[in-house]
Amino acid sequence: MTQIPPDNTNHTDWNADNPIPEWYQQFINEFDYELPRQGQLLEGRIIRIEEDAILVDVGLKRDAIIPNRDLNNVDNEILNQLSVGDQVTVYVVHTPFGDQDLIVSLHKGLEHENWEKAEQYLEQEKTLELKVIGKNRGGFLVEFETIQGFLPFSQVAELRRTRDPHRTDEIKRQMMGTIIPVKVIEVNRKRRRLIFSAVAAQREIEKQRLNELKIGEIVHGPVVNIVKFGAFIDLGGVDGLVHISKLDWHHVNHPSEVVKIGDEIDVKVIDVDVEKGRISLDRRALLPSPMENFAANHHTGETLEGQVTNVVDFGAFVELAEGVEGLVHASEIGYTSTANPKDVLRVGERVLVRILDIDTEKGRTSLSMRQVPLERQLAWSLETAESKTAGETPPETSQTQPVDQVQPAATDQPAVEEQPAVEEQPAVEEQPAVKDQPAVEEQPAATDQPVVESEPAVKDQPTLEGQPESEGPGEPSVEEPTEKPTEEKPAQPGIE
């Protein structure tokens, strides 16, 4: 320490002729006339790194000390990167007096730098990749350098797309520990508020991804959400929609019948609207069509059973398999080509057809009922009728209609083949209704019949077999005296 000699000089008289003494100038230079204040930020250079402290030259007459307790608050990754000569920003913990050490904080110095970075990122609208380190009732906690930022649940796109509480909890668990793109939307250093938004970052990523996608491109991604009209697929920063009609070839009542959340699927891009931010996808286009499957399992000339789905003037459409329909032209319906399809077939009835042609490119199948052998039509019709009789017989047994059209034209077939039709005629023998007609004959009260009808009508009433003329000679003596005066006299005027 420099010894200060007694000074008998009048300081106010120092001037060019009377300069400041050298010893006095040296004293002024060595004296810390401007002490650092608590809370002040200083720029310094690391001059020594020890196990329990770091010494920093901050440009003052004493070195600043970063104590071990402060270093414990600094991430080890940052500490391992420090070396002698590095420039650092430190925070003055308190103002030193006398011989006190200048204690500074590296942790708070780094925190100050990070607040400044956050303000810059807010102005620049820069997208950051931050790690989710925790959550509370309102949102996630994210790690921004040495500052802990807040990401509200309302600013997470995945959580905004679902209202299912179970799905929401699952998303929250899955996001823990992940790194997500976010943007700074609020910085308040005094209140220590640093708010981020994943939705804001998502919009920018979506624009980039939308410009990258091409129509017709095949992409792969997980199912992230299911709604009643389709399923959303994550395409890496942007979601695309697979409409329910594009999920599968068969009819789908709800998308959950085909896909589940988390399923990884391939889809085809069919439309991209950059302005509206919409992507239309198609899963069905990558699956074999029902016609392709049908063509692989069936061939021309094969006989199949099908159900009539529509009848028009030029023919009938028959469903052969789910999603596969064929046309039976009007000329191929019956064994005679004069019948109107609407008079022969009805929607819902089952028929036996033969495949004439399968065109997978046009998705058309040509069918014929006429080219099915007659004996096979008859056998199939009988089997179908028997199976219905064994079970619940529907009110309409229209399956025999194609067979009925066969019989009139089957002149070349043996008579044995036509016998089933004869056996089905018990309805003719079961005409007891004719025998029951005495109810009609027992209407003698209807004496008006002789008035309307002639005598033969009256003679038919006594006998069912119409033999009054042969038996009449023997019995007129019994009936004529009583009936002729009452019936014939009034009947004759009527006849006339």
Side-chain angles (χ1 to χ4, degrees), residues 46 49-51 54 71-84 86 88 106 110:
I46 297 177
I49 298 177
E50 300 179 356
E51 293 183 359
I54 295 178
L71 295 176
N72 291 334
N73 296 326
V74 180
D75 189 84
N76 289 331
E77 184 177 353
I78 297 177
L79 292 177
N80 294 333
Q81 295 177 354
L82 295 178
S83 59
V84 175
D86 290 347
V88 293
L106 176 61
L110 293 173

Side-chain angles (χ1 to χ4, degrees), residues 181-221:
V182 294
K183 275 189 175 183
V184 181
I185 60 174
E186 182 182 348
V187 178
N188 190 326
R189 194 182 304 192
K190 292 182 179 179
R191 299 181 59 186
R192 298 185 63 82
R193 285 174 58 88
L194 179 58
I195 311 300
F196 294 92
S197 171
V199 174
Q202 188 76 11
R203 295 192 186 102
E204 183 177 346
I205 296 173
E206 286 179 359
K207 291 180 181 179
Q208 297 176 356
R209 184 60 174 149
L210 286 169
N211 291 322
E212 295 174 357
L213 291 173
K214 304 298 180 183
I215 295 178
E217 181 181 0
I218 307 300
V219 291
H220 181 84

Side-chain angles (χ1 to χ4, degrees), residues 78-195:
I78 297 177
L79 292 177
N80 294 333
Q81 295 177 354
L82 295 178
S83 59
V84 175
D86 290 347
Q87 293 290 330
V88 293
T89 301
V90 292
Y91 174 91
V92 178
V93 177
H94 64 82
T95 303
F97 293 99
D99 294 335
Q100 290 181 345
D101 294 328
L102 177 57
I103 305 299
V104 294
S105 170
L106 176 61
H107 171 69
K108 291 187 176 181
L110 293 173
E111 190 176 87
H112 170 79
E113 289 182 342
N114 294 333
W115 280 108
E116 289 185 341
K117 286 182 182 179
E119 291 173 348
Q120 293 176 1
Y121 295 153
L122 176 62
E123 294 177 0
Q124 299 171 359
E125 298 183 354
K126 184 176 180 179
T127 299
L128 308 172
E129 298 284 339
L130 301 183
K131 183 178 180 180
V132 179
I133 59 175
K135 66 182 179 67
N136 54 30
R137 293 182 60 184
F140 293 108
L141 303 178
V142 294
E143 187 179 36
F144 176 71
E145 303 289 345
T146 60
I147 305 175
Q148 194 175 88
F150 182 66
L151 174 62
F153 291 142
S154 60
Q155 295 297 321
V156 179
E158 289 81 357
L159 295 176
R160 295 175 67 173
R161 284 195 298 259
T162 180
R163 296 181 179 179
D164 184 1
H166 299 290
R167 175 59 182 160
T168 299
D169 293 339
E170 183 180 355
I171 294 175
K172 291 177 182 179
R173 288 193 299 269
Q174 292 176 351
M175 292 188 65
M176 291 297 300
T178 60
I179 297 176
I180 59 174
V182 294
K183 275 189 175 183
V184 181
I185 60 174
E186 182 182 348
V187 178
N188 190 326
R189 194 182 304 192
K190 292 182 179 179
R191 299 181 59 186
R192 298 185 63 82
R193 285 174 58 88
L194 179 58
I195 311 300

Side-chain angles (χ1 to χ4, degrees), residues 321-339:
E322 187 173 6
V324 179
E325 286 188 351
L327 172 65
V328 182
H329 193 267
S331 61
E332 296 290 339
I333 289 181
Y335 290 87
T336 58
S337 59
T338 58

Side-chain angles (χ1 to χ4, degrees), residues 29 32 54 98 118 122 155 173 217 226-227 235 257 259 271 286 345 351 378 405 412 417 462 474 480-481 485 487 494:
N29 293 337
D32 293 338
I54 295 178
L122 176 62
Q155 295 297 321
R173 288 193 299 269
E217 181 181 0
I226 293 177
V227 291
L235 304 180
E257 298 175 358
V259 294
D271 186 48
L286 304 181
L345 298 175
V351 294
L378 292 173
Q405 293 182 12
D412 296 336
E417 297 292 338
E480 284 182 0
E487 294 182 2

